[in-house]
Amino acid sequence: MASLALRLDENVEGDFYVDSTCIDCDACRQIAPMVFHDVGDQSAVHHQPATGDELLAAQKALIACPTSSIGSVAKHDMRAALAVYPERIEGDVFRCGFTSESSFGAFSYLIRRESGNVLVDSPRFAGPLVKNLAGMGGVRRMLLTHQDDVADHRKFHERFGCERVLHRDDVRAGTAMIETQPSGNDPLLLEDGLLMIPTPGHTRGHAVFLYRDRFLFTGDHLAWSESRGHLYAFRSACWYSWTEQNASMERLLAYRFEWVLPGHGRPIHLPADEMRRSLEQCIAWMRNGTRVAP
Ligand code: SF4
């Protein structure tokens, strides 16, 4: 629960506010940019919701916030916002919304499949989301991009019996029991239309997942930079090897995709040829960055 006593001064006057427990994960700014903005190393309300759509967006952000740092003075009926997640992105791909503090507010995704639904990275194990997932048929598999975004994987496994997948090089004590632990750098066809592509760099065992040659779930490997206008990688949050991450990025040139859906950073939807050009820009930028700041 957000606290009025901790309300940041940067918030505009009115109902919604962000308090000082904000960890600057960016989730609210992605979900409701018309309400929340960046104020340095935290978020604040820059515009109070004035329409039904803005109100729903603010409520969705409040629900998604990993640290319950968003509050409202008035009491709201949250049922409509709670019913939104998982929220459709396109076709059978959804965003889960409920982010977890243990993965620093990373976004997770759901692929709805006739053979059984697939989660990509772990959302927060929150009652309303779990109920909605159960109503959509549960979770058959959970694909984990890397060690930082495993969050409540154990609870989802216990509730839905889902098989979990995590590259062996990112397995730690809390994930040692994970059912499937591929190794090496070769791509692995996990099931029809769903490919695991190891992308060491951000972490040693990082992997991305390509769905139907259209959706690339990228964890913390690759995201869109609005300021640069092209795809990019997190140089200052590369925990294993920037050189390896560059090589992993080059290997992605072998694939076609139109969506980049990251854990952190901004998603992007582009025609496949434009996406490839943007990936080439990213690789050129990474090479330059490697020379400038090894
Ligand atoms: S979602 Fe919550 S923690 Fe993340 S930036 Fe917004 S207020 Fe801060």
Side-chain angles (χ1 to χ4, degrees):
M1 285 280 288
S3 165
L4 257 179
L6 300 177
R7 185 183 188 282
L8 293 173
D9 292 340
E10 289 86 350
N11 293 289
V12 295
E13 286 302 316
D15 187 13
F16 282 86
Y17 64 91
V18 176
D19 76 15
S20 61
T21 63
C22 169
I23 59 171
D24 198 25
C25 75
D26 191 45
C28 62
R29 303 191 295 263
Q30 286 199 41
I31 294 166
M34 72 296 279
V35 175
F36 301 94
H37 72 162
D38 190 351
V39 290
D41 55 3
Q42 290 183 308
S43 288
V45 173
H46 68 92
H47 165 75
Q48 293 292 343
T51 66
D53 285 349
E54 289 177 356
L55 178 61
L56 181 63
Q59 292 172 339
K60 283 165 50 185
L62 185 153
I63 291 166
C65 176
T67 46
S68 301
S69 304
I70 301 172
S72 62
V73 178
K75 191 167 168 55
H76 289 257
D77 180 349
M78 299 293 285
R79 283 176 293 183
L82 288 167
V84 165
Y85 295 124
E87 180 177 34
R88 190 186 302 277
I89 296 172
E90 183 192 284
D92 49 9
V93 173
F94 299 76
R95 180 164 68 175
C96 293
F98 288 75
T99 70
S100 169
E101 185 173 7
S102 70
S103 56
F104 201 77
F107 282 109
S108 58
Y109 302 92
L110 176 77
I111 306 171
R112 192 171 194 179
R113 308 206 79 179
E114 280 188 15
S115 56
N117 299 329
V118 177
L119 274 177
V120 181
D121 285 329
S122 175
R124 190 181 348 134
F125 191 81
L129 177 65
V130 173
K131 183 178 168 200
N132 292 347
L133 287 171
M136 295 172 76
V139 182
R140 176 175 54 83
R141 245 182 173 172
M142 174 181 272
L143 311 180
L144 298 163
T145 57
H146 67 299
Q147 60 182 302
D148 302 331
D149 291 354
V150 300
D152 290 329
H153 70 96
R154 193 190 304 253
K155 292 178 180 174
F156 281 100
H157 173 73
E158 289 168 0
R159 172 64 180 82
F160 293 112
C162 53
E163 174 216 358
R164 294 158 289 180
V165 179
L166 176 64
H167 194 284
R168 183 170 301 167
D169 288 341
D170 262 25
V171 169
R172 298 293 178 267
T175 47
M177 75 299 288
I178 277 183
E179 293 75 21
T180 303
Q181 302 179 13
S183 60
N185 280 355
D186 291 336
L188 174 65
L189 186 64
L190 293 167
E191 56 188 86
D192 176 43
L194 191 47
L195 189 69
M196 177 177 187
I197 307 169
T199 50
H202 174 74
T203 58
R204 186 170 184 163
H206 195 291
V208 301
F209 297 95
L210 179 61
Y211 178 55
R212 295 203 187 286
D213 294 332
R214 184 166 177 78
F215 301 91
L216 189 68
F217 301 97
T218 56
D220 287 353
H221 179 66
L222 177 67
W224 178 255
S225 168
E226 288 180 349
S227 60
R228 295 179 180 86
H230 62 73
L231 293 167
Y232 83 125
F234 304 111
R235 178 69 180 97
S236 61
C238 177
W239 313 131
Y240 172 56
S241 165
W242 188 242
T243 302
E244 284 285 324
Q245 191 159 350
N246 203 331
S248 295
M249 209 65 86
E250 289 183 10
R251 286 196 292 276
L252 284 184
L253 288 170
Y255 303 96
R256 285 178 70 82
F257 48 92
E258 298 178 17
W259 281 93
V260 164
L261 297 173
H264 290 116
R266 299 299 167 107
I268 187 70
H269 180 206
L270 293 171
D273 290 340
E274 261 183 66
M275 189 68 89
R276 182 188 169 86
R277 281 195 290 278
S278 191
L279 184 60
E280 288 169 345
Q281 281 181 288
C282 174
I283 291 166
W285 169 81
M286 288 179 77
R287 285 191 191 127
N288 185 48
T290 303
R291 281 202 300 273
V292 172

